[in-house]
Amino acid sequence: RLLAATAVAMHCWLGQTRPFPPERDWSIMIRFSVAALMLAAFASPAAAADEDFELWINPTVEIALDGDTAVEVELSQRLRDAGAGRPDTYYGRILLSQEVAEGIGVAGGVERRINTPGAEETRLIQQVTARSGIWRARLRAEQRFVDDAGRMGLRIRPRIGVSAPLDAAGKWQLDASVEGFLTLRSTGRGGQDGLTGLRTRLGFAREVSDHLTVGLAYLRQQDFRDGRPDLVAHVPLVSI
């Protein structure tokens, strides 16, 4: 399902080569409908799953160094149900990004996660981003170092989505995306590899000023677990 949906999305993305125009463009509307159907397919409920509720708060600051280079600092609080075995998670991430061609960017950085003692984690991150019209894509690689885990984990996270203006001024934005979690090497021996998670997101953002954007989204995180029901988290996500 991940490969099929990615192929559909890439076909539509490659067919869209110009910016979103102010007038109504039915070809873009059709492509957006295809994307919505793709996301709906991924958000279908698991046959058997443990359901959970979380609240994520993601303040982010981006500082431009020049016309093509920027530093992004993100602090996240993920409030969870510790009684269900999912303690709150806090992390800080810093990324250095550069636009290397029109619509193409590369970035690298580091992230530190704090949750359960002994299971706290440091991640090294490299990613490539692309945009064309309303389409957005990102491919992220992570090297994961979990305290007391004994070895480094490797994970790839492909993401594809759409970002479309909702008004003529471009102040309101609709964002939707789907992201897979492909574990190439688990952080512990005998751990689970392959497609281990799927994240879908649908939300709105509002540009308040030239330097401030706020957003609200619904995020669905599904963790695939061998021999156990999948874990599905329903998350309201507040971004600044």
Side-chain angles (χ1 to χ4, degrees), residues 56-74:
W56 294 7
I57 304 172
N58 279 56
T60 304
V61 176
E62 184 176 273
I63 303 170
L65 301 181
D66 58 34
D68 299 322
T69 309
V71 173
E72 179 183 294
V73 179
E74 179 179 348

Side-chain angles (χ1 to χ4, degrees), residues 74-89:
E74 179 179 348
L75 301 174
S76 179
Q77 302 82 47
R78 298 184 176 180
L79 308 178
R80 296 167 166 161
D81 183 4
R86 291 177 61 81
D88 294 348
T89 297

Side-chain angles (χ1 to χ4, degrees), residues 21-222:
E23 68 273 14
R24 184 179 297 272
D25 188 320
W26 287 107
S27 66
I28 291 180
M29 296 293 287
I30 291 172
R31 292 185 179 95
F32 189 85
S33 298
V34 171
L37 291 173
M38 178 188 72
L39 296 178
F42 271 97
S44 59
D50 292 332
E51 307 282 335
D52 200 4
F53 178 83
E54 303 178 9
L55 173 63
W56 294 7
I57 304 172
N58 279 56
T60 304
V61 176
E62 184 176 273
I63 303 170
L65 301 181
D66 58 34
D68 299 322
T69 309
V71 173
E72 179 183 294
V73 179
E74 179 179 348
L75 301 174
S76 179
Q77 302 82 47
R78 298 184 176 180
L79 308 178
R80 296 167 166 161
D81 183 4
R86 291 177 61 81
D88 294 348
T89 297
Y90 306 88
Y91 73 76
R93 177 192 302 149
I94 182 168
L95 287 175
L96 177 65
S97 62
Q98 184 169 51
E99 187 170 3
V100 296
E102 184 177 358
I104 305 295
V106 296
V110 63
E111 174 183 307
R112 178 63 179 174
R113 290 178 170 250
I114 300 173
N115 41 41
T116 303
E120 296 174 352
E121 181 179 349
T122 299
R123 297 181 184 177
L124 301 181
I125 299 169
Q126 307 84 40
Q127 67 184 37
V128 178
T129 58
R131 67 179 187 275
S132 178
I134 66 171
W135 289 94
R136 303 289 183 268
R138 186 187 75 189
L139 182 64
R140 172 178 289 179
E142 297 175 332
Q143 297 82 52
R144 306 176 60 199
F145 301 88
V146 177
D147 296 353
D148 301 338
R151 70 175 189 175
M152 178 186 71
L154 296 173
R155 187 165 67 183
I156 302 294
R157 294 170 54 176
R159 185 179 77 182
I160 192 161
V162 292
S163 180
L166 296 177
D167 62 338
K171 298 290 187 180
W172 285 93
Q173 202 82 8
L174 172 67
D175 297 305
S177 65
V178 59
E179 180 176 15
F181 292 74
L182 303 174
T183 300
L184 305 181
R185 186 180 193 232
S186 63
T187 56
R189 298 186 184 279
Q192 187 173 332
D193 295 333
L195 182 62
T196 54
L198 194 64
R199 178 180 295 175
T200 52
R201 173 176 170 170
L202 177 64
F204 301 90
R206 163 71 176 173
E207 183 181 306
V208 179
S209 69
D210 291 341
H211 303 289
L212 178 63
T213 300
V214 296
L216 180 64
Y218 165 72
L219 184 147
R220 182 182 185 274
Q221 174 77 38
Q222 182 170 347

